[in-house]
Amino acid sequence: MSPGHPGRGRGQGVVVIHDFAGMSQDLRHQADWLARAGYLAAAPDLYWWGSMLRCLRTIFRELGTRQGRTFDDLEAVRAWLAQDKGCTGRIGVIGFCMGGGYALALAPGRGFAASSTNYGGCPDEAERLLAGACPIVGSYGGKDRSPMGYRAAGRLERALAANGVDHDIKVYPEASHGFLNNHPPDDQTLLLMVLNRISGTRYHEPSAQDARRRIVAFFDANLKS
């Protein structure tokens, strides 16, 4: 894994956390648009150590406990980016679906200067867990009726406001779950197709364009300042 360098000079870093699909073409595309926006983007494969199902069980268990192998792997990527000679040392994190859950969990006290959660739900006891969090930009689909969807957006906004955390939370009325993830046919494993059907995942270009614009503006304001 090597960071996607935006060009000459030093830049800010972003750790990109994947959805259920793992290391996919879509994940590479997410890292690419962040690199084009001027960021050093690093996208780790959290399934590197085992089968997809085995890794998923561990990833979701550790998201609840907020410690373990997954957090160690993500910290290793953050530290590696921060030490890169092309990086200023200021790092953001962005995640999608389960990755969005991790982007929230990493926001307080983990060395990140900004976080972008995309349909990543909202943890129980969010007000307590997100105390001291870095600035957070969140995007949710108005047609996403999963626990990760629009209902979570309101709870997240209230928790961040209560903690005085700088934030930008938006619900896209025409978007479903996964509206930023445009998986090509090569990404579509049988398991991913089943999960997509259960969650109602569907890419929505107008919402995705606006979300990317907001994320870049938020990162620019909080990482480059």
Side-chain angles (χ1 to χ4, degrees):
M1 178 178 62
S2 60
H5 283 268
R8 294 181 179 179
R10 302 179 76 212
Q12 295 74 27
V14 177
V15 177
V16 188
I17 310 176
H18 60 70
D19 62 2
F20 285 133
M23 182 56 71
S24 63
Q25 287 301 315
D26 175 75
L27 181 65
R28 293 178 175 90
H29 294 160
Q30 305 295 349
D32 285 346
W33 68 258
L34 285 159
R36 288 194 298 271
Y39 290 95
L40 301 167
D45 180 5
L46 298 180
Y47 300 161
W48 67 270
W49 57 271
S51 69
M52 183 180 185
L53 286 176
R54 182 183 176 198
C55 292
L56 277 172
R57 285 195 295 269
T58 298
I59 286 168
F60 277 101
R61 183 178 68 249
E62 292 176 349
L63 183 56
T65 61
R66 282 171 160 65
Q67 61 182 346
R69 179 199 294 264
T70 310
F71 283 94
D72 293 344
D73 286 348
L74 291 168
E75 167 55 22
V77 178
R78 187 204 64 79
W80 175 74
L81 258 184
Q83 294 168 7
D84 187 276
K85 63 183 180 182
C87 185
T88 64
R90 289 183 65 78
I91 311 293
V93 59
I94 183 172
F96 307 90
C97 187
M98 70 177 194
Y102 271 87
L104 281 178
L106 292 166
R110 302 275 184 165
F112 290 98
S115 171
S116 170
T117 179
N118 300 284
Y119 30 90
C122 179
D124 294 335
E125 300 185 52
E127 187 172 334
R128 176 180 65 82
L129 292 173
L130 294 173
C134 65
I136 294 172
V137 55
S139 300
Y140 295 82
K143 294 182 177 180
D144 183 357
R145 301 185 184 282
S146 75
M148 315 290 275
Y150 72 91
R151 293 183 182 89
R155 292 191 291 111
L156 176 60
E157 185 152 32
R158 290 190 294 273
L160 297 177
N163 279 306
V165 175
D166 185 24
H167 63 278
D168 172 7
I169 309 299
K170 184 170 181 177
V171 175
Y172 291 89
E174 298 305 313
S176 301
H177 188 76
F179 69 86
L180 272 157
N181 299 109
N182 191 14
H183 288 284
D186 288 349
D187 285 354
Q188 299 290 339
T189 64
L190 179 59
L191 179 57
L192 182 60
M193 287 189 286
V194 170
L195 291 171
N196 285 347
R197 184 176 292 256
I198 292 170
S199 63
T201 294
R202 186 173 296 106
Y203 180 69
H204 190 253
E205 177 65 21
S207 301
Q209 285 186 352
D210 186 71
R212 286 191 290 263
R213 176 193 59 79
R214 288 175 43 249
I215 292 164
V216 169
F218 196 86
F219 278 178
D220 283 353
N222 289 284
L223 295 180
K224 295 183 178 181
S225 59

